[in-house]
Amino acid sequence: MTQSQTILTVQGLRVEFRGRSKTVVAVNDISFQVNRGETLGIVGESGSGKSVTALAVMGLVGQPGQVTGGELWFESEGVGRVNLRSLLRKQWETLRGNQVAMIFQEPMTSLNPVYTIGFQLVEAIQLHQPISKIDAEKRAIGLLQEVKLLQSNDALLEQFQGDSNAVDRHKRAMLDRYPHQLSGGQLQRIMIAMAISCDPALLIADEPTTALDVTVQATILDLLRELRDRRGMGMMFITHDLGLVAEIADQVSVMYEGNVVETGTVMDIFSSPRHPYTQGLLTCRPNPDRRLHTLPTVADFMNVTVDAQGDRQVTAKHENIAELLTTLPEISDSQVAERLSVLQSNAPLLSVNNLTVAYPIKNAVGRTERLFKAVNDVSFEVYQGETLGLVGESGCGKSTLARTLLRLVEPTSGSIQFDQQNLLAMKPNALRQLRQEMQIIFQNPFSALDPRLNVGDAVMEPLKIFGKGRSDFKTRAKYLLDRVGLEGSDETMARFPHQFSGGQRQRICIARALALNPKFIICDESVSALDVSVQAQVLNLLKELQAEFNLTYVFISHDLSVVKFMSDRIMVMNQGKIEELNTAEQIYRNPSKDYTRKLIASIPVGSLEQIQVRQAERSALKQSSSS
């Protein structure tokens, strides 16, 4: 690879965060390069140093962080060869956004909620290009068409039957929308449009598809591939999911605790992973083609020891990983059939009939024009000890249905029977008492926990409210924390939510949900934002707790591979209605609806066959462009 083809060269990068008592090395002597028209995938768990590496490349490491070693060289036709570590603030402002751009993980927090998307796009364009506001707006519309938020001019003219004024109004309406009026996938497209607005040579995508639906995720990956190939950009794609890396990367660097532990082509990493950490990441994501009792975790593949100098050493637990994976216990067809037969032999714990939740859509003068049915005439049953998986894209009605089952949202019509009691007819006091039996685990554990309460008080709070075990709150809380894999000590109880990792906070939420010995728990996207290894631990924990306490779950997720691992049956929702409801295996193997087939086809499984297809497509594209 010649120097002109290399956009970014990183050699021996070291980033430290210096505190009063100790110094944390977030990135420790790592090296890599990014080439024009290619994608480097950087993968690892939270805290591995992925995002800090990206911030160092962008010159955005803030205090108390500091780049203390290494070389960072950037090269493009626009600026030549530049030493990034020597740039002054004004030079960074010229380079950043113009030559190097970044897509951040959470688009809603990256966009200003008080300004329209058109204003923010135009501002980004005019900041780096000397053009008028009118030309910048035209450029913004072109970008929205490039990221497929707007149709092409020809398609719009056809849609509006040649009325160019109507086309212009349609384009203007998109520019005039605010961030809260767009979905997560649409917001991420806006961020991509903003990032490519000045034709950068290097695009850094930091977890750009986390918490998106699998179908939207697949669309965003397709878009990034298309933009990279058409524009010849170099790309750094940062993620904790190796399945996503397989879909987009050419080269892969695996990071663990600030170090690059393995690097190679995407085919090499997936076909012959050498480091036990890489092997663990590859195998702990649920594989929908297998029915395992429990998911393997990263800890199953490696031993971590500390030497005399205080350095952590990683060694493999097993010599033959392939043989180990074939010996993992699987659930047979007969076991699945027997379990379903036992579950359905009793009366259902939850019965939902013709449930509808509708919201009024009002006109400019406040009159109701029509009703929007978020949940539309839904009927189903859930049996004691069962896990009913609930899947569908954002906006399909999953979360609205979940909250209606707990009467956190009042339905428009229909009935809900829980444990042979009419939930909708209950008075407030009776409903309050029944809520001891029904709990929910939310998607974001940090926002679900009161930051002012320490962990002990957070877990004990439901017990205090209902007066259960009045003299033994603390013992119960310690037991629950121990049971979910956290040390139930006084020190743990005294810590606050911000002092725990995301996976630990989710365990605290699970402990809190279990405090009152409920029969029924709704898990609403409870693992979607977790690292794949932490996700595996939490999923295994939920299964263990179900077996121990005979819990009944409604498990909501947009990731069908996760839902299939957890569920006895799966219900697929689309636009407020049930598309289909069947056993987990039947839904995955023989879906009856096109919508379900689309969800399954969007799962990034990271198989060698898919990687080979992607690589063949890349080779053909390069040959055609060179000829």
Side-chain angles (χ1 to χ4, degrees):
M1 191 66 66
T2 64
Q3 185 65 28
S4 62
Q5 292 173 299
T6 302
I7 295 174
L8 177 70
T9 303
V10 175
Q11 295 178 332
L13 176 65
R14 184 180 177 91
V15 182
E16 297 178 353
F17 286 80
R18 295 175 177 173
R20 292 181 178 179
S21 58
K22 68 175 183 177
T23 295
V24 176
V25 180
V27 177
N28 185 21
D29 192 27
I30 71 169
S31 302
F32 58 85
Q33 71 177 37
V34 182
N35 301 317
R36 184 169 280 101
E38 293 186 356
T39 300
L40 170 71
I42 299 182
V43 66
E45 297 174 286
S46 296
S48 63
K50 309 185 303 295
S51 294
V52 174
T53 300
L55 292 174
V57 172
M58 292 287 290
L60 293 174
V61 176
Q63 291 297 328
Q66 186 177 354
V67 178
T68 58
E71 298 182 9
L72 295 165
W73 292 94
F74 176 79
E75 183 174 2
S76 74
E77 294 179 3
V79 296
R81 183 170 166 83
V82 177
N83 181 356
L84 297 181
R85 290 199 64 191
S86 68
L87 293 184
L88 302 176
R89 181 176 177 180
K90 284 290 184 184
Q91 293 172 311
W92 262 120
E93 290 176 358
T94 302
L95 187 74
R96 195 185 297 132
N98 198 23
Q99 292 288 330
V100 184
M102 188 165 180
I103 306 167
F104 292 95
Q105 178 173 349
E106 180 47 67
M108 183 58 90
T109 58
S110 301
L111 292 167
N112 193 321
V114 303
Y115 292 112
T116 64
I117 62 170
F119 176 88
Q120 295 181 69
L121 273 171
V122 168
E123 182 185 45
I125 294 167
Q126 287 190 297
L127 185 64
H128 295 285
Q129 297 182 29
I131 61 176
S132 67
K133 183 178 179 181
I134 292 175
D135 288 337
E137 286 184 349
K138 291 179 180 177
R139 171 80 171 134
I141 289 170
L143 288 166
L144 294 182
Q145 290 175 326
E146 190 170 6
V147 299
K148 298 181 173 62
L149 264 179
L150 279 174
Q151 294 175 290
S152 66
N153 290 332
D154 291 341
L156 287 172
L157 282 169
E158 182 179 348
Q159 178 183 341
F160 291 100
Q161 300 176 339
D163 187 345
S164 59
N165 289 328
V167 170
D168 289 340
R169 287 195 299 272
H170 179 73
K171 293 177 181 177
R172 184 75 249 174
M174 177 57 77
L175 291 179
D176 289 340
R177 296 176 79 176
Y178 287 86
H180 73 273
Q181 296 175 301
L182 301 173
S183 69
Q186 289 174 320
L187 289 172
Q188 200 59 283
R189 289 166 187 259
I190 296 294
M191 294 303 301
I192 294 171
M194 198 174 292
I196 65 174
S197 62
C198 298
D199 295 314
L202 175 65
L203 180 65
I204 301 174
D206 187 7
E207 301 273 13
T209 61
T210 296
L212 294 181
D213 300 328
V214 285
T215 50
V216 177
Q217 176 179 268
T219 305
I220 295 296
L221 291 176
D222 287 339
L223 175 61
L224 289 173
R225 277 193 297 265
E226 182 185 333
L227 292 171
R228 174 200 62 194
D229 295 338
R230 187 169 67 246
R231 290 167 169 258
M233 295 185 302
M235 189 188 304
M236 286 172 58
F237 189 91
I238 298 170
T239 182
H240 60 256
D241 190 344
L242 269 167
L244 293 181
V245 168
E247 294 287 311
I248 198 168
D250 300 290
Q251 300 286 325
V252 180
S253 289
V254 181
M255 292 191 69
Y256 175 68
E257 294 191 343
N259 299 286
V260 172
V261 296
E262 187 165 358
T263 187
T265 67
V266 65
M267 196 66 191
D268 289 340
I269 293 294
F270 276 78
S271 61
S272 305
R274 299 183 304 277
H275 197 277
Y277 179 68
T278 311
Q279 295 163 352
L281 286 181
L282 280 168
T283 54
C284 61
R285 194 177 192 277
N287 183 347
D289 292 321
R290 300 185 68 185
R291 286 187 307 219
L292 299 177
H293 280 281
T294 57
L295 293 172
T297 65
V298 168
D300 295 326
F301 293 86
M302 62 186 197
N303 292 308
V304 180
T305 57
V306 181
D307 61 20
Q309 288 74 37
D311 296 325
R312 292 162 67 87
Q313 304 294 327
V314 176
T315 57
K317 277 188 176 180
H318 307 279
E319 293 183 4
N320 192 331
I321 298 299
E323 184 178 323
L324 169 69
L325 295 179
T326 60
T327 61
L328 292 173
E330 296 194 39
I331 305 171
S332 66
D333 291 339
S334 60
Q335 288 174 314
V336 170
E338 182 181 356
R339 174 173 164 79
L340 281 171
S341 176
V342 171
L343 289 172
Q344 297 178 358
S345 62
N346 299 313
L349 177 68
L350 178 75
S351 295
V352 177
N353 292 294
N354 307 116
L355 190 69
T356 297
V357 180
Y359 299 103
I361 305 296
K362 297 184 178 181
N363 59 21
V365 296
R367 291 181 180 174
T368 300
E369 288 186 332
R370 60 187 176 88
L371 292 176
F372 169 69
K373 294 184 177 180
V375 177
N376 190 358
D377 196 29
V378 166
S379 300
F380 63 94
E381 295 175 336
V382 187
Y383 294 88
Q384 179 71 47
E386 179 186 23
T387 299
L388 177 70
L390 181 53
V391 296
E393 297 173 293
S394 294
C396 72
K398 303 189 303 292
S399 293
T400 302
L401 174 60
R403 285 159 174 75
T404 307
L405 295 180
L406 301 178
R407 273 193 66 183
L408 299 176
V409 171
E410 292 295 331
T412 306
S413 62
S415 67
I416 304 173
Q417 293 280 333
F418 177 79
D419 202 12
Q420 300 181 352
Q421 299 178 76
N422 185 349
L423 202 65
L424 301 183
M426 283 189 164
K427 301 289 193 220
N429 285 339
L431 180 63
R432 182 174 179 271
Q433 291 301 315
L434 185 66
R435 283 219 172 104
Q436 299 178 62
E437 308 290 339
M438 310 170 75
Q439 296 292 313
I440 185 168
I441 303 169
F442 292 101
Q443 176 175 353
N444 188 338
F446 194 70
S447 61
L449 292 168
D450 189 333
R452 300 166 301 175
L453 289 181
N454 63 38
V455 165
D457 287 337
V459 175
M460 290 188 288
E461 186 178 37
L463 297 167
K464 293 177 180 178
I465 289 172
F466 287 97
K468 286 204 168 185
R470 189 176 300 275
S471 61
D472 217 10
F473 295 149
K474 196 170 184 180
T475 301
R476 174 69 173 163
K478 286 184 173 183
Y479 164 75
L480 290 169
L481 289 171
D482 274 330
R483 190 61 195 84
V484 299
L486 294 173
E487 184 184 357
S489 64
D490 290 335
E491 188 271 335
T492 300
M493 299 264 286
R495 291 165 68 188
F496 288 84
H498 72 274
Q499 296 174 293
F500 294 86
S501 69
Q504 289 173 322
R505 284 196 291 266
Q506 197 60 284
R507 290 169 184 264
I508 294 164
C509 289
I510 293 171
R512 178 182 164 94
L514 291 172
L516 297 170
N517 287 324
K519 293 181 179 178
F520 178 69
I521 298 179
I522 294 175
C523 304
D524 188 4
E525 299 279 10
S526 54
V527 297
S528 63
L530 300 180
D531 296 332
V532 286
S533 56
V534 177
Q535 175 182 277
Q537 296 168 16
V538 173
L539 293 176
N540 289 339
L541 173 64
L542 288 171
K543 278 205 162 188
E544 290 172 16
L545 294 171
Q546 182 177 46
E548 181 175 340
F549 298 109
N550 195 28
L551 297 171
T552 304
Y553 294 140
V554 168
F555 191 90
I556 302 172
S557 178
H558 58 255
D559 189 339
L560 211 148
S561 59
V562 170
V563 172
K564 182 178 181 293
F565 169 75
M566 285 294 299
S567 304
D568 298 292
R569 294 183 298 150
I570 294 176
M571 185 166 76
V572 182
M573 284 191 73
N574 182 24
Q575 297 182 351
K577 294 186 176 182
I578 297 176
E579 283 283 317
E580 57 182 309
L581 172 59
N582 210 328
T583 64
E585 200 66 25
Q586 279 295 318
I587 289 287
Y588 181 70
R589 300 292 178 192
N590 301 300
S592 62
K593 298 295 180 68
D594 290 337
Y595 178 77
T596 309
R597 284 190 279 270
K598 183 180 73 169
L599 289 179
I600 294 170
S602 301
I603 300 173
V605 294
S607 66
L608 294 178
E609 293 78 9
Q610 282 187 338
I611 296 172
Q612 288 169 338
V613 170
R614 294 286 185 202
Q615 296 300 307
E617 290 173 350
R618 297 276 286 128
S619 298
L621 184 64
K622 287 180 179 179
Q623 289 176 1
S624 62
S625 60
S626 62
S627 59

